[in-house]
Amino acid sequence: MQYYFETKDQLLHAALERLEQQSRERWAARLDELPQPVTAAAFIEAFLAEVLPTDEVGRASRVAWTSYGVLAMTDSELAAQPFVVGPDRLEAQLTHVLERAQEVGALDPQRDAAVEAALMLSVAHGLAASVLVGRRSSDAAMDILRAHLVRLFAPAAPGPKTAAGRAGKIQPVAMAAVASGRRGE
């Protein structure tokens, strides 16, 4: 390992980046299994399912990410690494999906998409920690996240942007682009 990395911190950072890449690949596979075109709610549910440690791969990934976070709190050199870049990128992607949902009338335009994305990511990470320590089952955590999605995507009072007949579907190309980290238009 020392051949490829000069320090332990570099090794840890590379491992974290690899875990993020693998998570994106699993998320994309989940999206591929959904009926097309993918709704914003289904897209976000697939993301949330990926955040939770529901299997051994997800659990190992979540443990590594959590361990990295704990180390970053106590190690100034490690904290200087771009630890928050991944979550920031995910939050921006979720914001984009929520904004697109607002454009097609699937989400109340009065909601702040950026705040909703931050809340969703925070709740998902908190529930993931709860699953890791055995406080909740992954099924119970997913039920909580689904309940949040039901409330989030509940029909708003009729208005110009919530006309009847809009299903809130977003083109699959745009969804795949968002999952892969590209902004799809």
Side-chain angles (χ1 to χ4, degrees):
M1 288 296 171
Q2 289 178 333
Y3 178 78
Y4 296 105
F5 304 100
E6 294 176 17
T7 67
K8 180 178 75 169
D9 294 347
Q10 289 175 343
L11 170 65
L12 289 171
H13 185 68
L16 188 66
E17 286 180 339
R18 178 67 179 134
L19 289 171
E20 183 181 348
Q21 178 186 358
Q22 289 172 335
S23 179
R24 284 183 175 285
E25 290 167 0
R26 288 191 309 271
W27 184 16
R30 288 176 195 267
L31 289 173
D32 287 345
E33 294 173 5
L34 296 175
Q36 302 295 322
V38 177
T39 65
F43 177 86
I44 292 170
E45 184 175 332
F47 162 75
L48 296 173
E50 180 56 35
V51 170
L52 294 178
T54 58
D55 58 19
E56 284 307 310
V57 172
R59 184 173 181 78
S61 180
R62 176 58 50 183
V63 167
W65 191 85
T66 302
S67 298
Y68 189 98
V70 170
L71 283 173
M73 288 188 295
T74 60
D75 183 330
S76 61
E77 284 184 38
L78 194 57
Q81 299 287 333
F83 178 62
V84 297
V85 171
D88 283 351
R89 189 174 28 249
L90 290 173
E91 191 172 309
Q93 290 171 334
L94 290 175
T95 299
H96 180 66
V97 169
L98 293 171
E99 289 168 346
R100 296 285 308 266
Q102 287 174 318
E103 291 170 9
V104 299
L107 181 65
D108 183 351
Q110 299 302 312
R111 291 189 179 269
D112 184 325
V115 169
E116 294 297 341
L119 285 168
M120 199 174 316
L121 195 58
S122 297
V123 169
H125 284 299
L127 286 169
S130 156
V131 170
L132 275 183
V133 299
R135 183 165 182 264
R136 283 185 211 292
S137 70
S138 57
D139 288 340
M142 197 64 213
D143 287 345
I144 292 167
L145 292 173
R146 284 186 182 119
H148 176 68
L149 286 175
V150 167
R151 281 194 299 274
L152 182 64
F153 287 98
K161 286 195 174 185
T162 58
R166 290 191 174 170
K169 295 189 177 184
I170 300 174
Q171 295 304 313
V173 172
M175 286 298 155
V178 172
S180 67
R182 302 180 318 266
R183 285 187 63 104
E185 300 300 330

